[in-house]
Amino acid sequence: LEKAVKDIQELANSSKLANMDQFATLMISEGFSRRKEYAKAVQMLTKFYQENPSKIPTDLISNRIVQYINDDLQDMVDQGQFIKALKLHNQYSETWMKSSGRIDTKYNVGRAFEQSGVFKQAQGLYQETLNKLYAMKGTDADKVRSVTEHLPSEDSVNLRLATVEAQQGHYSQAFEGLKNIKNPQNLTEREQIERVQLAAQLLDQRGETDSAIRYLTELLKEWSGIPALVAEPYLDLAQLELKQNKADDAIQSLKKINTLMDDSQKVNPGTHARALEILGDIQLKKGLKNEAAGTFEKLISLYEKSRPLASYRYKVGQIYFEKGEIKKAAEVWNDLKDEKNDFWYKLSQEQLRGSEWKDEYKKYIKRIPAMSGSSATPAPAPAERK
């Protein structure tokens, strides 16, 4: 890469054509952009502009820089890096981005706020985005922006609006947002699934849990071949089934998530871990202790380093303890011995000390002939006084 850049710059310097240094800078910055090294592209253009303010038309360079910043912003939001995205926008909001007027910038900043849990701020930006999309619909500006910007569809923005309304407990407004989606088939696969999940959530809020389950069941039939997308709906379905006291159905839904992860490794780890937590708890409640221990042990082996699972490690030890496998329980509980899990470790040690006391008591009882069932002659009763 360094050699390629050096070669291009040397060619530009040796060329007799006018403005070759400008052309080379623009092309190299575009190359960095396509490699998703947006910061380098922005830095290169900014430096060239500062050193040669009269060589490049202001609009040309500012539009390029704003484009690269926005592309970087969108990539960060797509990857869930909302803090970096908000910092990036804040860095340029009073300079290059101040008067850009790009619609996609507002939309992406709104997504970053939504991911960070600041739903009211996201709602305002989404509404502003939607208003601008409606205002320029069918105009020449619409055609130009569709080429120069990554414009979201009206349906995508309505889905985002409905989602943040629901997060704020505004369920009626969320329903209206879903109704405003005119062409759901044109949404991305992830958005289509999110739309059904949200509809199921809102139906459940209205007490229509049967309808919510039906929505999710139909969704899962339609999208069963995409593990990365259907795991969350299966988790939603399991929680609704539990709400209706259908524990066996919930177990099957949760086991499906586990199977999807085993087969594809494409399920979100957080979703998989939560499914194992709920599945093990159900199995334990139903008295399926061996199955529960297996589920919890898998949960611990996969996610103990990334999630607080001390309570589940304690539950595994408790299962072995109640089965009389004291040594196995002690081995499981031993890993609780650290500051973070001090509560669970102390609780486990109390159990073990209680067990040791019982064992010592039994040995003591056995050493007393009358208590141990020995054939020794019992001591005679004292003679009755006359």
Side-chain angles (χ1 to χ4, degrees):
L1 175 62
E2 290 178 1
K3 186 179 185 304
V5 171
K6 184 179 179 181
D7 288 346
I8 293 171
Q9 289 173 332
E10 287 178 354
L11 284 170
N13 292 334
S14 63
S15 174
K16 296 180 181 179
L17 295 174
N19 299 322
M20 274 301 292
D21 56 344
Q22 168 187 318
F23 177 77
T25 301
L26 290 170
M27 290 301 98
I28 293 171
S29 67
E30 181 65 18
F32 279 125
S33 170
R34 294 190 183 194
R35 289 171 57 88
K36 296 186 181 297
E37 297 182 42
Y38 303 109
K40 285 186 178 180
V42 171
Q43 183 181 9
M44 173 171 276
L45 282 183
T46 302
K47 182 180 179 183
F48 187 82
Y49 177 71
Q50 291 170 343
E51 294 175 352
N52 306 276
S54 61
K55 278 196 172 185
I56 305 180
T58 302
D59 287 347
L60 174 60
I61 191 168
S62 62
N63 288 341
R64 282 287 183 99
I65 290 174
V66 168
Q67 177 188 326
Y68 297 155
I69 294 171
N70 195 75
D71 289 347
D72 199 5
L73 180 69
Q74 180 167 309
D75 273 10
M76 288 176 180
V77 178
D78 287 345
Q79 295 170 33
Q81 299 175 343
F82 55 86
I83 293 177
K84 286 185 177 180
L86 292 172
K87 283 183 177 178
L88 179 69
H89 180 257
N90 187 60
Q91 178 183 350
Y92 294 109
S93 61
E94 293 300 318
T95 53
W96 294 114
M97 306 290 283
K98 186 173 183 178
S99 57
S100 73
R102 288 181 65 118
I103 295 174
D104 54 353
T105 300
K106 291 186 182 296
Y107 178 67
N108 286 322
V109 174
R111 291 170 62 208
F113 275 119
E114 180 187 349
Q115 290 176 6
S116 65
V118 186
F119 302 118
K120 188 172 181 60
Q121 189 78 6
Q123 179 186 344
L125 289 166
Y126 289 151
Q127 191 61 61
E128 191 175 343
T129 299
L130 192 60
N131 292 343
K132 288 190 174 183
L133 289 174
Y134 285 151
M136 71 175 193
K137 192 173 183 178
T139 66
D140 290 338
D142 188 9
K143 297 176 183 177
V144 173
R145 285 182 181 270
S146 65
V147 174
T148 60
E149 298 187 31
H150 305 293
L151 291 178
S153 68
E154 293 172 9
D155 286 341
S156 291
V157 183
N158 275 314
L159 177 59
R160 299 267 51 81
L161 267 173
T163 300
V164 295
E165 291 281 18
Q167 290 287 354
Q168 296 175 87
H170 306 156
Y171 302 118
S172 297
Q173 293 89 328
F175 261 114
E176 288 303 314
L178 287 182
K179 288 180 182 178
N180 289 332
I181 297 174
K182 306 301 181 186
N183 299 292
Q185 71 279 2
N186 293 335
L187 295 170
T188 66
E189 292 177 343
R190 187 172 295 279
E191 286 175 331
Q192 290 183 50
I193 289 176
E194 184 183 359
R195 170 179 167 269
V196 176
Q197 282 183 275
L198 180 56
Q201 176 191 337
L202 295 174
L203 286 167
D204 183 48
Q205 285 290 339
R206 289 170 55 170
E208 300 178 32
T209 306
D210 287 337
S211 297
I213 289 176
R214 187 169 63 252
Y215 262 58
L216 289 173
T217 302
E218 290 301 318
L219 166 72
L220 292 166
K221 287 180 182 177
E222 184 72 21
W223 298 89
S224 59
I226 310 179
L229 298 181
V230 300
E232 282 192 22
Y234 268 118
L235 184 59
D236 291 346
L237 179 60
Q239 290 171 323
L240 291 176
E241 289 166 339
L242 278 178
K243 192 173 182 178
Q244 292 195 325
N245 296 317
K246 298 178 180 178
D248 291 337
D249 291 343
I251 286 175
Q252 294 308 311
S253 296
L254 295 166
K255 283 184 174 180
K256 184 66 177 178
I257 297 172
N258 190 43
T259 301
L260 289 170
M261 186 58 150
D262 289 342
D263 292 346
S264 71
Q265 296 298 308
K266 292 182 179 180
V267 174
N268 180 286
T271 302
H272 183 225
R274 184 63 185 138
L276 291 176
E277 290 172 1
I278 298 173
L279 176 59
D281 284 335
I282 298 172
Q283 290 169 331
L284 193 58
K285 189 174 181 180
K286 288 177 67 68
L288 305 172
K289 293 186 177 182
N290 290 335
E291 290 88 337
T295 300
F296 289 145
E297 285 175 331
K298 183 172 187 177
L299 170 68
I300 290 166
S301 68
L302 292 174
Y303 301 112
E304 192 171 33
K305 292 181 180 179
S306 59
R307 295 172 70 90
L309 298 177
S311 62
Y312 291 97
R313 178 173 283 281
Y314 177 80
K315 288 179 182 181
V316 174
Q318 185 70 21
I319 291 171
Y320 286 121
F321 185 86
E322 291 175 355
K323 289 167 63 178
E325 299 180 36
I326 309 301
K327 184 178 179 181
K328 181 69 173 176
E331 290 174 357
V332 172
W333 282 337
N334 188 56
D335 285 341
L336 292 171
K337 191 177 182 180
D338 62 58
E339 293 181 5
K340 292 181 181 178
N341 303 324
D342 190 49
F343 169 77
W344 296 107
Y345 180 72
K346 286 181 178 177
L347 199 60
S348 67
Q349 295 311 297
E350 287 176 9
Q351 293 267 44
L352 292 174
R353 281 194 293 271
S355 174
E356 290 171 2
W357 182 87
K358 288 178 183 178
D359 289 343
E360 290 299 321
Y361 180 71
K362 288 177 182 177
K363 291 177 184 177
Y364 172 74
I365 294 298
K366 287 180 180 179
R367 287 198 295 269
I368 303 175
M371 300 296 289
S372 62
S374 171
S375 58
T377 306
E384 186 177 359
R385 291 187 179 183
K386 294 184 181 179

